[in-house]
């Protein structure tokens, strides 16, 4: 399938959730939420946490596409290079926690050129669909264990951990409790005088958690 997208103006940089709230990206790459039922339109900027990541996007080179994912209760913002398949960072905003996450496909051919919400009758038919560079339409499945044959890698950085008086902290032990069917989780502990230097230093400790209680 040739999706035929060659110009950024054919992209739909807006989406609507089931409650009628409209989400859109401005020409300065700010993400806004607008509730038409509220006085004054209820316009609110929701992208403050990731502004430094969004302002670097060249909208002449990248296409912006938004879609609402009702099962995951959030907004996908797909940012795809228009000239060729290439690694790029997409964004997801979770409504319940007002938190932003970044997504990157291992295979650049999977980057979305178009997307749509398919609202069928069966639970498995109510999914978000994306059409990618390789001409294949795929569904976003939160239960999938891989990305169409490619391993899914995820990470989270917790911290920095500080006391009110900036005392030194002694880490005695770490306890990890995961689901019985969880995959393995690799952890690393970073230590330094500042948060910035900690993430660039070698880990002071590392290991692997298994499923269940560790």
């Amino acid at each position: 399938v040739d999706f035929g997208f060659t110009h950024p103006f054919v992209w739909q940089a807006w989406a609507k959730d089931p409650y009628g709230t409209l989400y859109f990206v401005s020409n300065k790459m700010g993400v806004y939420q607008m509730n038409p039922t509220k006085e004054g339109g209820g316009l609110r900027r929701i992208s403050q946490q990731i502004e430094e990541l969004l302002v670097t996007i060249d909208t002449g080179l990248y296409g912006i596409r938004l879609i609402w994912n009702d099962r995951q209760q959030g907004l996908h913002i797909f940012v795809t290079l228009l000239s060729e398949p290439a690694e790029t960072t997409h964004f997801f905003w979770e409504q319940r926690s007002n938190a932003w996450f970044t997504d990157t496909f291992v295979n650049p051919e999977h980057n979305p050129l178009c997307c749509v919400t398919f609202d069928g009758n069966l639970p498995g038919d109510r999914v978000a669909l994306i059409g990618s560079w390789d001409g294949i339409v795929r569904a976003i499945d939160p239960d999938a264990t891989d990305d169409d044959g490619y391993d899914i890698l995820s990470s989270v950085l917790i911290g920095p951990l500080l006391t009110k008086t900036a005392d030194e902290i002694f880490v005695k032990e770490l306890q990890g409790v995961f689901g019985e069917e969880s995959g393995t989780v690799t952890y690393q502990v970073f230590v330094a005088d500042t948060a910035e230097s900690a993430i660039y230093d070698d880990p002071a400790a590392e290991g692997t958690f298994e499923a269940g209680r560790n």
Side-chain angles (χ1 to χ4, degrees):
V1 178
D2 182 3
F3 292 108
F5 290 107
T6 58
H7 197 280
F9 289 110
V10 303
W11 294 72
Q12 179 176 308
W14 64 271
K16 189 168 63 172
D17 67 20
Y19 312 105
T21 302
L22 181 69
Y23 301 86
F24 65 91
V25 177
S26 71
N27 60 338
K28 295 183 179 180
M29 286 306 299
V31 183
Y32 290 85
Q33 177 189 72
M34 186 170 65
N35 188 340
T37 63
K38 292 184 178 180
E39 185 178 352
L43 189 63
R44 183 172 74 95
R45 192 167 186 151
I46 63 173
S47 57
Q48 288 90 339
Q49 302 100 310
I50 58 169
E51 294 293 340
E52 294 302 317
L53 300 177
L54 295 177
V55 295
T56 62
I57 297 174
D58 187 338
T59 55
L61 299 177
Y62 291 83
I64 312 299
R65 187 80 172 178
L66 274 61
I67 186 173
W68 180 263
N69 189 324
D70 196 48
R71 182 170 179 180
Q72 295 181 323
Q73 291 293 293
L75 179 72
H76 291 280
I77 300 179
F78 296 122
V79 183
T80 301
L81 185 67
L82 296 172
S83 59
E84 60 181 347
E87 181 176 324
T88 184
T89 299
H90 310 287
F91 303 91
F92 179 77
W93 177 71
E94 186 184 54
Q95 184 185 55
R96 290 167 291 192
S97 60
N98 189 30
W100 285 94
F101 302 87
T102 57
D103 294 319
T104 301
F105 291 105
V106 175
N107 183 356
E109 293 276 355
H110 291 177
N111 285 322
L113 288 172
C114 56
C115 55
V116 66
T117 299
F118 184 74
D119 189 11
N121 295 325
L122 298 176
D125 293 337
R126 295 191 287 269
V127 294
L129 302 177
I130 61 174
S132 305
W133 272 100
D134 56 7
I136 297 176
V137 177
R138 296 178 174 87
I140 299 177
D141 182 4
D143 298 323
T145 57
D146 59 47
D147 269 344
D148 207 5
Y150 291 84
D151 290 338
I152 299 175
L153 305 178
S154 62
S155 63
V156 59
L157 181 64
I158 301 175
L161 304 181
L162 301 171
T163 67
K164 293 182 179 180
T165 56
D167 295 328
E168 290 186 352
I169 297 176
F170 179 75
V171 179
K172 185 177 181 180
E173 65 177 357
L174 298 177
Q175 295 182 351
V177 181
F178 299 88
E180 294 180 355
E181 298 181 1
S182 172
T184 58
V185 177
T186 300
Y187 68 85
Q188 296 176 320
V189 180
F190 297 93
V191 178
D193 292 333
T194 65
E196 290 86 352
S197 59
I199 60 175
Y200 295 110
D201 287 346
D202 293 330
E206 55 187 331
T208 301
F209 290 134
E210 305 290 341
R213 184 178 297 275
N214 294 261

